[in-house]
């Protein structure tokens, strides 16, 4: 991973937006990140780690504290990070959970992230990820590190630099597994375990299946199964021969029964046919009578149509005669109605002569009515004009009163505005003082909190220093105890060897034949177990010293940082004098109250100014309305006088007449004209209708007379024909014909019944003749005896067949079981052979070997051996040949798996000891060497991760000048190999040695970033 551009917005001490452009330094960047304490140097590492993983570089810093406390409330905290992995470029934008002010409302923003691949022109390639877990998984897959592993290998934060060096083997294994992509070896381990488990399960399953087959066959082994198969085969052969003999007897019995059943059926058919024939023979007489009735009904039905025609002719003649009589009566009534209609027409013509006079009278009355309505309108307009004149007079007087009140209110408002202007003038002065006191109060709180934290750190540091002293004393005692026991053990071994010396014979150790001063026993000889216990106690004591020293160093660093922070806060409090937190709070409260009063005065001032403007506007409006009101008042007076004259003229012209009376007379005349016209038209129309009705009635009468004559002649002919047809059909008269007639449905049923009887009689005769022929010369058989014999032999054959079927099924099942057992036995043998090989491989790969190392741990141990060698070369150079790193092959406690622990060899004394026993500066060099060695080996391994950047936070201050030169030379060599190296440090000498710098400038309004490319060019991001 190579950083390209980092953008921080409202992040940590950076109030605005700051950009670090790593591309300014070219491909081989060697950077010094410099600035005062608290300015934000570590914040750059926080930004990188947070952009990638959503966590700061220091695991103890929560994302809720990443947002700048000095940033404007509406500004959103966000980190943008552009980086490359190999030839590809990726963009990350991450925003922590935070509270902002948006449109004067407080909003809670959730953690948001956006990740994508980008092209050289900035265009997005592929999908855009926005889910937190998806982005984390993608980053871990892309970089090969989790957040913790990234802080141990790539970004080495202050206080966590030594974690990789001191990490236990299990933790190193998780880091190295991703770095060297050795997951395939663990996959082999798991695959072998899974394969062994599957083979074992298959073996157990097959053996259980074999036992199940033996149990199902009611045997315990294959020999018993073969014996049972032979016995079943013999029994099945015997029963098959017996079934063959019995089957022949069964066939003969069945044939006899079938012949007897056929004879019995023939005799039964003969009996039934006799019964059917006898029953039909008894119905012959009844059927003959029914046949006669059907014949007569058929002849009667042939005359139905002619009878209906005669009846229709008689009905039509009767109807025509009735119609002629009705028309004659109607003609007499029409003559009387025509005479009455002629009288009504004469009366209407006399009244129509008065219409002209009545119309002239109505016209004169309409003119009078018009003058009366105009008079009423003039009177109404006069009343309205009087009311409008009175209203205008009242409005004019009201306007004068309102204008006077507005002018008095304007004078009072002007006086109040002058008073409030003086009060609101101090608001700016008070706001400035409030800002100053608020900042002092914030600094005072931070100062008090930092003072309390410094007291706690001083106390913890004193305790840690005492703990270091106690641990060192305990380690010295444990070392002396171990050395004493070792001397006693060596002396005891020498005494034991001396006791075996014989004068004249050579010593097994030195080869001398004379033994002038053999060693003597000095007391009890310690056992190897006691020596091992003392060594373990000494190692544990040394580990406690290292842990206590590390804690002391951590507390010391925190105490120094707290002291610097307190001093910075003390400088910021210089303007507050010796005011306590309570005094500043009270001062701020007083200022806030005073500001509230001024603010309220300002609001009231603005309100009064607005009200004065409104009153002035209304006064001007009243002044503008006054001329119009005066003009309206004068116009109303003139209109009233004109209307009074019109009313007087109209009253004279109408001479006291009333409009209602005139309207009634007009309505009466108009009604008379309408009535006379309507009644005359109705009388003329009625007379014409009566003339038309007389003519129509006369025509219908003549037509009916002609139809009556024609229909009467036709009826006589039909009646004569019907009489002749009755005689021909054999009926004496119409009554006899109707008596013989049947309903068509009943007649149809009678005919069908007769036809069925004839068919049934014919069939019964033929059936009786066939049955008699079949029974001729035969004797009725005894079916019961024959059926009993058949059932007995059938039961015997069925029992024998069932027994034979059972034997066949058992033989088949035993044969199948024998075949399955043979096949499963072969498969069991093959699986047992595979299980032995796979099980042994799984044990070896899983750690059941003399080294107690898994396959992956073994591979990683070999790779870590190369890392230790590469790191040792770096450490030897930086320590001027004193220290070398070696991989510890034996686990620390002798029980757990090892292979990834580190020892250090001190060439000054030849001692080999655990790496965690190094001092602070030595530990820094070893950690740096390990990180660089790891980078070298990972780069050399195909398929591994390319570690092309490293950031180191502090630690160089623990080195002396010469050691610092060696460390820097090592980093320069790495930088020249194409790596990005970033160092955070206060060491002044580094400024001279590293020209490319990222300078963090601390300011009151927030920190700024200034970049220098080492050739005199500086870059500052423009806000």
């Amino acid at each position: 991973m190579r950083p390209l551009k980092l953008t921080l917005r409202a992040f940590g001490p950076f109030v605005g937006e700051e950009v670090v452009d790593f591309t300014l330094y070219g491909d081989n960047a060697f950077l010094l990140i410099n600035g005062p304490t608290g300015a934000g140097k570590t914040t750059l590492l926080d930004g990188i780690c947070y952009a990638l993983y959503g966590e700061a570089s220091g695991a103890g810093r929560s994302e809720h504290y990443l947002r700048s406390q000095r940033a404007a409330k509406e500004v959103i905290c966000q980190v943008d990070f552009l980086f490359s992995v190999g030839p590809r470029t990726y963009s990350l934008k991450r925003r922590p959970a935070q509270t902002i002010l948006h449109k004067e409302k407080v909003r809670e923003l959730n953690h948001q992230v956006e990740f994508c691949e980008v092209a050289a022109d900035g265009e997005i390639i592929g999908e855009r990820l926005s889910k937190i877990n998806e982005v984390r998984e993608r980053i871990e897959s892309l970089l090969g590190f989790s957040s913790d592993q990234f802080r141990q290998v790539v970004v080495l934060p202050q206080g966590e630099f030594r974690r990789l060096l001191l990490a236990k083997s299990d933790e190193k294994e998780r880091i190295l597994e991703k770095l060297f992509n050795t997951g395939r070896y663990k996959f082999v381990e798991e695959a072998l375990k899974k394969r062994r488990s599957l083979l074992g399960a298959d073996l157990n399953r097959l053996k259980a299946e074999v036992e199940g087959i033996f149990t199902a066959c009611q045997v315990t082994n294959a020999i018993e199964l073969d014996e049972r198969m032979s016995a079943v085969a013999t029994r099945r052969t015997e029963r098959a021969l017996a079934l063959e003999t019995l089957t022949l007897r069964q066939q003969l019995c069945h044939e006899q029964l079938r012949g007897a059943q056929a004879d019995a059926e023939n005799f039964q058919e003969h009996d039934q046919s006799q019964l059917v024939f006898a029953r039909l023979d008894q119905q012959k007489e009844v059927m003959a009578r029914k046949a006669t009735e059907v014949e007569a009904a058929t002849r009667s039905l042939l005359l139905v149509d002619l009878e209906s025609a005669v009846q229709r002719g008689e009905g039509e003649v009767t109807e025509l005669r009735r119609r002629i009589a009705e028309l004659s009566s109607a003609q007499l009534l029409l003559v009387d109605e025509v005479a009455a209609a002629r009288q009504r027409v004469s009366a209407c013509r006399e009244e129509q002569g008065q219409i002209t006079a009545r119309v002239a009278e109505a016209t004169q009355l309409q003119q009078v009515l018009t003058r009366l309505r105009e008079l009423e309108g003039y009177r109404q307009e006069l009343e309205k004009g009087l009311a409008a004149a009175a209203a205008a007079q009242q409005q004019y007087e009201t306007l004068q009163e309102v204008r006077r009140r507005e002018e008095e209110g304007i004078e009072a408002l002007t006086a109040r505005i002058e008073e409030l202007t003086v009060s609101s003038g101090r608001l700016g002065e008070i706001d400035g003082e409030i800002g100053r006191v608020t900042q002092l109060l914030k600094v005072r709180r931070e100062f008090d909190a930092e003072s309390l934290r410094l007291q706690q750190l001083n106390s913890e540091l004193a305790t840690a220093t005492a703990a270091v002293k106690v641990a060192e004393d305990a380690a010295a005692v444990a070392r002396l105890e171990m050395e004493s026991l070792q001397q006693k053990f060596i002396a005891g071994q020498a005494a034991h060897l001396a006791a075996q010396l014989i004068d004249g014979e050579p010593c097994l150790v030195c080869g001398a034949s004379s033994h002038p001063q053999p060693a003597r026993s000095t007391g009890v000889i310690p056992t190897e177990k006691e020596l091992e216990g003392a060594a373990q106690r000494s190692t544990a004591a040394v580990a406690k010293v290292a842990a206590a020293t590390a804690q002391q160093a951590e507390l010391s660093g925190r105490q120094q940082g707290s002291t610097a922070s307190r001093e910075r806060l003390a400088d910021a409090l210089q303007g507050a004098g010796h005011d306590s937190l309570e005094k500043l709070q009270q001062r701020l409260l007083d200022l806030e109250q005073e500001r509230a009063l001024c603010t309220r005065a300002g609001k009231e001032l603005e309100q009064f100014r607005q009200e004065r403007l409104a009153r002035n506007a209304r006064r001007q409006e009243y002044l503008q309305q006054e001329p119009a009101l005066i003009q309206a008042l004068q116009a109303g007076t003139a209109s009233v006088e004109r209307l009074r004259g019109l009313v007087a003229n109209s009253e004279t012209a109408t001479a006291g007449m009333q409009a209602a009376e005139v309207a009634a007379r007009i309505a009466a005349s108009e009604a008379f004209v309408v009535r006379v016209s309507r009644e005359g038209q109705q009388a003329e129309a009625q007379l014409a209708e009566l003339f038309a009705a007389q003519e129509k009635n006369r025509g219908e009468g003549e037509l009916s007379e002609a139809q009556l004559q024609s229909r009467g002649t036709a009826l006589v002919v039909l009646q004569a024909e019907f009489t002749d047809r009755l005689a021909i059909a054999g009926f004496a008269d119409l009554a006899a014909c109707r008596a013989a007639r049947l309903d068509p449905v009943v007649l149809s049923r009678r005919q069908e019944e007769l036809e069925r009887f004839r068919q049934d009689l014919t069939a019964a005769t033929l059936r009786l003749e066939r049955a008699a022929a079949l029974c001729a010369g035969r004797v009725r058989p005894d079916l019961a005896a024959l059926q009993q014999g058949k059932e007995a032999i059938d039961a015997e054959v069925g029992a024998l067949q069932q027994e034979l079927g059972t034997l066949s099924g058992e033989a088949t099942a035993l044969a199948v079981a024998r075949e399955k057992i043979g096949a499963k036995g072969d498969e069991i043998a093959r699986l047992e052979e595979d299980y032995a090989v796979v099980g042994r491989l799984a044990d070896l790969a899983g750690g059941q070997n003399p080294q107690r190392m898994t396959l992956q741990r073994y591979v990683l141990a070999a790779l870590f051996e190369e890392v230790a060698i590469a790191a040792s070369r770096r450490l030897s150079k930086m320590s001027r040949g004193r220290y070398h790193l070696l991989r510890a092959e034996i686990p620390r406690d002798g029980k757990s798996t090892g292979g990834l622990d580190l020892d250090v060899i001190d060439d000054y004394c030849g001692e080999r000891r655990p790496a965690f026993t190094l001092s602070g500066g030595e530990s820094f060099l070893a950690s740096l060497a390990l990180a660089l060695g790891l980078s070298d080996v990972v780069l050399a391994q195909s398929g591994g991760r390319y570690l092309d950047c490293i950031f180191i936070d502090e630690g160089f201050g623990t080195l002396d000048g010469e050691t610092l030169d060696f460390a820097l030379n090592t980093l320069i060599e790495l930088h020249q190999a194409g790596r990005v190296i970033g160092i955070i440090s206060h060491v002044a000498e580094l400024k001279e040695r590293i020209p490319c710098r990222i300078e963090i400038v601390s300011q009151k309004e927030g920190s700024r970033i200034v970049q220098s490319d080492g050739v005199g060019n500086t870059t500052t991001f423009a806000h």
Side-chain angles (χ1 to χ4, degrees), residues 143 152 753 825 910 923 944:
L143 303 185
Q152 294 177 14
E753 183 181 4
S923 177

Side-chain angles (χ1 to χ4, degrees), residues 419-472:
E419 296 176 2
L420 293 175
T421 302
V422 177
S423 299
S424 62
R426 299 186 62 249
L427 185 60
E429 177 184 351
I430 294 174
D431 284 339
E433 183 63 16
I434 286 176
R436 189 184 70 83
V437 174
T438 301
Q439 183 62 27
L440 288 175
L441 185 59
K442 179 181 178 182
V443 174
R444 170 59 71 181
R445 288 196 183 99
E446 294 178 358
F447 179 79
D448 292 346
E450 196 65 44
S451 298
L452 181 60
R453 185 158 50 249
L454 183 58
Q455 292 176 3
Q456 294 174 348
L457 288 173
N458 288 334
S459 176
E460 293 177 5
L461 182 60
T463 303
T465 302
V468 170
K469 180 66 170 115
V470 171
E472 288 176 347

Side-chain angles (χ1 to χ4, degrees), residues 225-238 807 814:
L225 180 61
D226 293 340
E227 293 176 352
R228 185 173 179 185
M229 288 175 63
S230 178
V232 169
T234 302
R235 178 65 177 169
R236 185 175 64 172
T237 302
E238 294 174 355
L807 290 171
L814 292 174

Side-chain angles (χ1 to χ4, degrees), residues 526-683:
T527 64
E528 292 184 0
K529 185 175 182 181
E530 290 174 341
L531 286 174
E532 184 179 354
Q536 291 178 354
R537 287 192 295 274
S538 177
T539 301
V542 171
K544 290 181 179 179
V545 170
T549 302
Q551 184 178 7
Q552 180 189 30
E554 180 185 1
L555 289 172
S556 177
R558 290 168 58 190
Q559 186 255 6
Q560 292 175 3
S562 180
T563 301
S565 178
R566 186 175 181 276
E567 292 174 355
R568 177 177 56 81
L569 293 172
D571 294 339
L573 279 175
Q574 290 179 359
H578 298 287
D579 288 347
S580 63
L581 181 64
E582 291 75 12
K583 289 183 179 180
L584 289 172
Q585 289 175 337
Q586 184 60 43
R587 174 61 178 157
L588 182 61
L589 180 60
D590 294 342
L591 288 170
E592 290 290 350
Q593 292 176 350
E594 188 175 355
R595 185 183 187 281
L597 293 175
C598 292
T599 301
R600 186 161 57 251
K603 292 180 179 178
E604 291 178 357
L605 176 62
E606 184 61 27
Q607 292 174 356
F608 287 146
R609 284 174 176 168
Q610 294 297 329
E611 186 175 355
R612 184 173 65 176
L613 289 174
R615 284 182 178 271
N616 276 320
R618 288 198 295 270
R619 184 168 65 88
Q620 292 297 326
E621 184 179 352
Y622 296 152
L623 291 174
Q624 293 173 2
Q625 292 176 1
E626 186 173 344
L629 287 175
I630 294 173
Q631 184 179 0
L633 183 60
Q634 294 173 352
T637 303
S639 178
V640 166
E641 293 300 327
R642 182 180 60 81
L643 289 172
R644 282 175 177 169
L646 290 174
V647 167
N649 293 333
S650 296
E651 287 177 348
T652 302
T654 55
M657 296 179 69
Q658 297 296 325
E661 178 185 354
V662 174
R665 291 172 62 185
I666 292 172
S669 298
E670 291 176 349
F672 174 79
V673 173
V674 172
R675 179 181 63 79
V676 170
S677 298
R678 183 178 66 251
E679 289 179 354
Q681 292 175 358
Q682 290 176 350

Side-chain angles (χ1 to χ4, degrees), residues 244-263:
E244 185 177 354
T245 302
L246 189 61
T247 301
L248 295 175
R249 290 173 53 199
Q250 183 189 31
Q251 292 175 355
L252 180 60
C253 182
H254 283 190
E255 290 176 358
Q256 292 176 351
L257 180 60
R258 282 194 295 272
Q261 288 175 340
D263 292 341

